[in-house]
């Protein structure tokens, strides 16, 4: 695609963020969570300017590189020139979360088949798997209001997310917030696995065994571990990057 490298243009800190975010896009494609060129993963650039990195609209997730990511401000205006457009409508949800959650270094949103299917179920996430316990410990729900074009939806989305890590967008998909890109990816992996397990269990046709909130509200070390989200993304991220490097290391370009 002949994208000029930005490695010598941006700070070392921003470059590392770009490499990690490009890796996250490649991993989302690898695990089958992408929706063609739709949905987004955004990352906050360190500093007081409230700048963000987001995907160039129109590229498949397995095409995205560190240099092709677009740097924008809170109003979705480009900060560094790019030959690619940004989808302003796609940034409505992300800008709402970043605005309300200053701990959100990364926001990841997906439209997977399993995630959308469970988002359409009245019962939402069911307490039927160990994976679901991690989700239920920090979960919100936001009702569907149509395609997220309107800024007036932002306050309601912010209220429904609150301080949670995971958000079910009813009839729409899944969203996670992470302090880092690695943490966001780890949370989405658990979220997506929870939905896939739930659909598989329901397809079996038998009565499901539910556990209660005492599992994730327990005062012992087990409950604390679940509420903390288990092992953080930093533990697994280097292995995921090695996996990508074995397949195609061009995300670093």
């Amino acid at each position: 695609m002949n994208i000029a490298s930005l490695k010598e243009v941006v700070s070392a800190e921003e470059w590392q963020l770009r490499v990690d975010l490009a890796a996250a896009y490649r991993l989302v494609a690898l695990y089958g969570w992408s929706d063609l060129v739709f949905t987004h993963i955004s990352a906050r650039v360190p500093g007081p300017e409230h700048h963000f990195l987001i995907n160039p609209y129109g590229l498949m997730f397995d095409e995205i590189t560190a240099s092709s990511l677009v740097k924008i401000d809170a109003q979705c205006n480009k900060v560094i020139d790019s030959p690619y457009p940004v989808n302003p409508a796609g940034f409505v949800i992300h800008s709402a979360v970043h605005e309300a959650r200053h701990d959100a270094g990364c926001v990841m949103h997906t439209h997977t088949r399993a995630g959308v299917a469970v988002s359409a179920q009245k019962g939402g996430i069911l307490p039927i798997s160990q994976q679901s316990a991690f989700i239920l410990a920090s979960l919100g729900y936001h009702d569907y209001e149509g395609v997220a074009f309107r800024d007036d939806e932002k306050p309601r989305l912010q209220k429904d997310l609150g301080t949670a890590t995971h958000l079910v967008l009813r009839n729409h998909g899944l969203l996670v917030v992470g302090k880092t890109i690695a943490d966001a990816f780890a949370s989405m992996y658990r979220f997506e696995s929870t939905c896939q397990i739930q659909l598989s269990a329901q397809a079996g046709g038998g009565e499901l065994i539910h556990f209660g909130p005492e599992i994730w509200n327990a005062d012992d070390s087990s409950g604390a571990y679940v509420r903390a989200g288990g092992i953080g993304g930093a533990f697994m991220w280097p292995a995921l990057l090695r996996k990508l490097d074995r397949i195609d290391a061009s995300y670093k370009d």
Side-chain angles (χ1 to χ4, degrees):
M1 295 179 291
N2 298 318
I3 300 294
S5 176
L6 295 178
K7 187 172 184 179
E8 305 303 324
V9 176
V10 301
S11 68
E13 191 175 20
E14 181 179 328
W15 181 253
Q16 185 57 57
L17 189 72
R18 284 174 171 273
V19 170
D20 284 339
L21 185 56
Y25 275 104
R26 296 290 184 102
L27 287 164
V28 164
L30 182 64
Y31 282 94
W33 305 344
S34 62
D35 183 14
L36 297 178
V37 300
F38 307 104
T39 76
H40 307 274
I41 314 169
S42 59
R44 183 192 300 273
V45 178
E49 298 87 359
H50 299 289
H51 291 163
F52 306 91
L53 298 175
I54 200 165
N55 53 310
Y57 195 41
L59 293 191
M60 300 292 283
F61 283 14
D62 61 1
E63 295 180 298
I64 290 174
T65 63
S67 295
S68 69
L69 290 163
V70 185
K71 188 175 182 179
I72 58 175
D73 63 19
Q75 288 72 47
C76 207
N77 301 307
K78 294 179 187 178
V79 176
I80 296 178
D81 190 38
S82 168
Y84 295 100
V86 175
N87 180 6
F91 193 60
V92 167
I93 290 173
H94 290 253
S95 61
V97 176
H98 284 295
E99 179 183 291
R101 292 284 298 272
H102 298 295
D103 61 324
C106 179
V107 177
M108 183 178 294
H109 170 42
T110 61
H111 295 162
T112 64
R113 184 172 298 184
V116 176
V118 171
S119 79
Q121 294 184 357
K122 189 173 183 179
I125 301 294
L126 302 179
I128 60 172
S129 67
Q130 178 167 274
Q131 287 81 353
S132 69
F134 291 97
I135 308 306
L136 290 162
S138 187
L139 175 65
Y141 291 89
H142 177 65
D143 287 339
Y144 188 59
E145 299 186 22
V147 178
F149 287 138
R150 303 183 311 276
D151 281 342
D152 66 0
E153 185 179 353
K154 286 184 178 182
R156 293 182 292 278
L157 189 148
Q158 292 166 340
K159 180 176 181 294
D160 291 336
L161 174 63
T163 61
T165 298
H166 312 88
L167 183 68
V168 172
L169 299 166
R170 291 288 195 182
N171 311 99
H172 184 173
L174 308 177
L175 182 143
V176 299
V177 172
K179 183 177 180 180
T180 66
I181 292 166
D183 286 343
F185 186 86
S187 293
M188 185 58 80
Y189 184 87
R190 283 188 288 265
F191 210 177
E192 175 66 20
S193 294
T194 293
C195 292
Q196 291 181 9
I197 290 167
Q198 180 167 319
L199 294 177
S200 294
Q202 291 169 324
E207 184 177 358
L208 302 181
I209 300 171
H210 291 218
F211 52 79
E214 67 276 3
I215 296 297
W216 60 89
N217 288 331
D219 293 330
D220 60 13
S221 58
S222 174
Y225 180 78
V226 169
R227 289 191 298 277
I231 295 175
F235 182 77
M236 62 188 76
W237 193 244
L240 288 165
L241 295 184
R242 292 194 300 272
K243 181 182 182 73
L244 275 184
D245 287 345
R246 291 193 297 271
I247 298 169
D248 180 0
S250 66
Y251 68 94
K252 299 177 181 178
D253 292 345

